[in-house]
Amino acid sequence: MATLRVSTRTDETTVPFFPEEREGWHGYIEWEDYPEKREQAAKVLQTHNFAPPPEFQLVPLPKTNPILEGVRWKQYHAALGSTMEKMPEESWNIVKQEKAEDMTHVLQFPYNGEPPRDRLIESAVTPNELHFVRNHGGVPEIDEAAYFFDVGGLVNEPKRITLAELKNEELFPRQSNIVTIQCSGTRRLEQIALYPGEGDELINAPWAEGAIGTAKWTGVSLKKVIKYCGGLKPEAKHLEFIGADTYFKKGHVSNYGVSVPWRKVKMNEVLLAWEMNDKPLPKIHGFPLRTVAFGYIGARSCKWLTKINALSEPSKNVVQRKEYLYYNQQIGKHNTTYSSGFSIQDMPVSSAMMTPTDKDVIVHDGKITVKGWAYSGGGRWPQRVEVSGDGGSVWYEVPWENLSKKYYHAWRLWSIDLPVDAEGWLEFVCRCWDNSLNTQPTYVRSAWNWDLHVTSSCHRLFIYSVNKTKEPTAMRLAQLEKKGIPLTPITLPLEFDIEDDDHYLEVLEKQGPRDPEE
């Protein structure tokens, strides 16, 4: 058992020292088993004045990468002493080692990042370096040889299992599944832009359309592990997962903890995974072992797994009970309570256009290529994707051959050459129908909620259409090319006269005078 120790610096200021829990588990401090240690940490945090949450909803987002820094979270770690103060720097180094250079860093610490829009849809299975990351604390670094996890609570035979034992196929048959994981914050920017909500940079980070990814996960079904532990006691109804990362909530600390119902586990839809796309899990994605809960909100797929507890009710951990709640639109800062929201589990049907992008100027010959993704959780799958070029009055179906392969628990990528005759500003919209005939709410307002989760409304963007099959447009484009003048930005006025007097008078004569003669 780890114990709380207090050290004194040479400047006579007393600071806490919370030791790492286990040899070979760097960055792991156990909080769940030690209430007195959690209480001591809370007292330490109360002695500090931390930076306030940044305002990023009622003002423009910074044009930086990282977009947000996570100053408060770095300060939380520094306040709890030497064991934790270097976690932000160490975690950022892991980001730079394991993620693509062109990732959008939504939040530097705890790390939240998504790939560029066009790169996300390059392949139906997302490369590890491009898969989005939604972390809730620092990244522990755990020696595989020192790793184990405990299975306890309402199981008949509590056990401690090493990774070597879990990989022993004589004990546990392994399986691989193509599974999409989606953060409930995906497309949150659309809610923020119209109807701001709670502005905590960790809980409600300003995600765009890339907080979703699909991978081949390899491991062991949790159902097999529970069977190995003698099964569950009759009163067990939920399985709780505890991670090695440290989580902060309103001045208190805990280890990350969530739960899923036993019925989900019985369907072999919760995997204990050690491989991602046929490679060992990256550190930032949960090495050595994580859970993958098929079709559920990404928050239930716990990284750096330390414990599995069988419970009679959902986890009482702060993440399960007080985060990822979906509120009615009447709920806000003036009246919100945890009990007034319900816990998000299955992800609803959703889709997004990844190319073109909002405010693009597109020169075309009557068709514009639109590409994106579509997904539905809970074992449902995208059956049809439709795109509209006029704000949602006329819809075109994506040809079936332009949709990627169907899976029970994964997205489908899609593309369509959308017929576009009109010019000027157009509103493009996409929507998905899943196999249960669920589709997306029409407008952002329909899905808005105070915590800005699950932007499942039809995805909308505005493009400026320039149809070169139109004779006047073709003439103007040729004129610009001859003069070496770019079309964009369209808001920049032309420096030459756009019509000579002879042409103007000729057209006017054909049209007749402005005013009627009688």
Side-chain angles (χ1 to χ4, degrees):
M1 172 181 282
T3 56
L4 175 64
R5 300 198 295 274
V6 176
S7 63
T8 303
R9 288 180 175 167
T10 55
D11 60 2
E12 297 184 356
T13 59
T14 301
V15 297
F17 175 68
F18 299 100
E20 293 177 336
E21 181 72 9
R22 299 169 184 163
E23 189 77 23
W25 290 58
H26 176 58
Y28 168 44
I29 299 176
E30 173 60 46
W31 303 104
E32 298 303 292
D33 289 345
Y34 309 124
E36 74 286 354
K37 187 161 62 171
R38 294 206 307 270
E39 183 178 348
Q40 175 67 17
K43 289 179 179 178
V44 171
L45 294 175
Q46 289 170 9
T47 66
H48 291 266
N49 291 318
F50 297 108
E55 177 56 76
F56 61 93
Q57 299 206 30
L58 295 174
V59 299
L61 281 174
K63 294 183 181 297
T64 55
N65 194 20
I67 298 172
L68 300 174
E69 184 181 345
V71 174
R72 287 182 304 140
W73 292 78
K74 293 177 180 179
Q75 292 175 346
Y76 294 158
H77 282 69
L80 292 187
S82 59
T83 314
M84 301 190 68
E85 63 184 355
K86 293 183 179 179
M87 288 294 287
E89 179 183 355
E90 293 170 351
S91 297
W92 182 238
N93 287 335
I94 292 171
V95 172
K96 292 187 288 186
Q97 293 165 11
E98 295 188 341
K99 306 311 293 184
E101 289 186 4
D102 55 354
M103 288 285 282
T104 298
H105 308 305
V106 179
L107 176 63
Q108 186 181 44
F109 184 78
Y111 184 68
N112 288 225
E114 60 184 305
R117 300 163 60 93
D118 56 340
R119 296 256 275 151
L120 177 62
I121 56 172
E122 287 177 344
S123 60
V125 173
T126 312
N128 291 356
E129 66 272 15
L130 289 172
H131 200 288
F132 89 98
V133 178
R134 198 299 186 224
N135 284 343
H136 298 77
V139 180
E141 296 187 70
I142 303 172
D143 181 357
E144 181 175 345
Y147 177 77
F148 60 84
F149 65 95
D150 293 319
V151 184
L154 299 174
V155 292
N156 289 315
E157 300 173 21
K159 292 186 184 294
R160 174 166 290 182
I161 302 173
T162 67
L163 193 57
E165 290 171 326
L166 194 66
K167 290 181 177 180
N168 182 351
E169 294 190 71
E170 294 184 1
L171 292 176
F172 301 106
R174 66 182 59 181
Q175 67 183 62
S176 295
N177 298 88
I178 303 294
V179 176
T180 293
I181 296 180
Q182 182 182 14
C183 176
S184 69
T186 312
R187 298 175 46 205
R188 177 174 284 137
L189 278 176
E190 296 165 53
Q191 294 198 54
I192 292 173
L194 294 172
Y195 312 105
E198 187 169 53
D200 186 296
E201 81 269 33
L202 177 73
I203 309 306
N204 297 329
W207 293 103
E209 299 88 355
I212 184 171
T214 299
K216 175 186 176 184
W217 306 94
T218 298
V220 170
S221 171
L222 177 55
K223 181 180 179 181
K224 306 299 182 185
V225 173
I226 297 302
K227 182 179 179 181
Y228 179 71
C229 294
L232 300 180
K233 298 182 183 297
E235 61 270 33
K237 297 292 187 293
H238 297 265
L239 278 302
E240 178 186 51
F241 312 129
I242 304 296
D245 43 338
T246 293
Y247 188 68
F248 293 82
K249 176 75 171 180
K250 296 189 183 299
H252 296 275
V253 297
S254 64
N255 295 108
Y256 187 85
V258 290
S259 63
V260 300
W262 166 235
R263 57 180 169 76
K264 182 76 172 174
V265 178
K266 284 197 296 184
M267 297 169 66
N268 288 309
E269 291 183 351
V270 179
L271 194 66
L272 304 185
W274 60 78
E275 279 187 4
M276 182 179 182
N277 292 330
D278 298 318
K279 298 177 182 177
L281 273 176
K283 294 176 184 177
I284 205 161
H285 285 286
F287 179 87
L289 191 71
R290 66 173 294 163
T291 64
V292 178
F294 303 177
Y296 269 18
I297 177 179
R300 308 298 174 232
S301 294
C302 177
K303 302 177 185 126
W304 312 290
L305 184 67
T306 65
K307 301 189 195 76
I308 299 173
N309 298 315
L311 307 174
S312 60
E313 59 182 355
S315 171
K316 295 180 180 179
N317 187 280
V318 62
V319 180
Q320 183 72 29
R321 181 168 285 191
K322 298 181 179 181
E323 305 288 7
Y324 299 104
L325 303 174
Y326 201 87
Y327 294 105
N328 175 266
Q329 293 187 0
Q330 299 293 313
I331 299 298
K333 189 173 185 176
H334 57 287
N335 62 357
T336 182
T337 57
Y338 300 126
S339 58
S340 59
F342 63 84
S343 185
I344 305 167
Q345 297 282 55
D346 282 0
M347 291 301 290
V349 61
S350 186
S351 64
M353 296 170 282
M354 303 304 280
T355 62
T357 60
D358 195 48
K359 303 298 191 298
D360 274 354
V361 177
I362 302 178
V363 179
H364 61 92
D365 57 3
K367 290 185 178 180
I368 295 177
T369 299
V370 185
K371 298 180 180 181
W373 56 260
Y375 174 64
S376 190
R380 298 174 296 274
W381 60 90
Q383 184 63 36
R384 175 184 296 165
V385 177
E386 297 174 326
V387 182
S388 170
D390 64 357
S393 295
V394 177
W395 295 89
Y396 293 86
E397 181 178 357
V398 172
W400 64 265
E401 62 268 25
N402 290 2
L403 284 158
S404 63
K405 183 179 178 180
K406 291 180 185 177
Y407 292 96
Y408 280 108
H409 297 288
W411 67 6
R412 301 181 78 180
L413 303 184
W414 55 266
S415 67
I416 184 174
D417 292 327
L418 185 70
V420 178
D421 181 68
E423 297 193 281
W425 284 112
L426 302 178
E427 185 179 15
F428 279 21
V429 193
C430 76
R431 68 184 181 191
C432 174
W433 297 83
D434 72 14
N435 62 297
S436 297
L437 293 182
N438 299 308
T439 193
Q440 298 169 245
T442 305
Y443 298 105
V444 169
R445 182 63 182 175
S446 305
W448 182 86
N449 58 100
W450 175 241
D451 268 356
L452 307 170
H453 291 298
V454 191
T455 311
S456 58
S457 54
C458 293
H459 186 215
R460 298 171 179 269
L461 56 84
F462 294 89
I463 66 100
Y464 193 83
S465 167
V466 180
N467 189 343
K468 64 184 180 182
T469 66
K470 308 286 188 178
E471 184 178 354
T473 300
M475 291 175 61
R476 176 56 52 79
L477 292 174
Q479 189 179 29
L480 291 173
E481 183 178 4
K482 184 177 180 179
K483 292 178 178 294
I485 299 174
L487 177 64
T488 57
I490 57 170
T491 52
L492 188 65
L494 293 171
E495 295 297 330
F496 61 88
D497 219 357
I498 60 176
E499 185 177 26
D500 62 44
D501 290 344
D502 289 342
H503 184 265
Y504 175 81
L505 292 172
E506 179 186 345
V507 172
L508 214 61
E509 185 176 351
K510 291 178 180 178
Q511 290 178 346
R514 177 187 180 278
D515 299 321
E517 295 180 359
E518 297 184 13

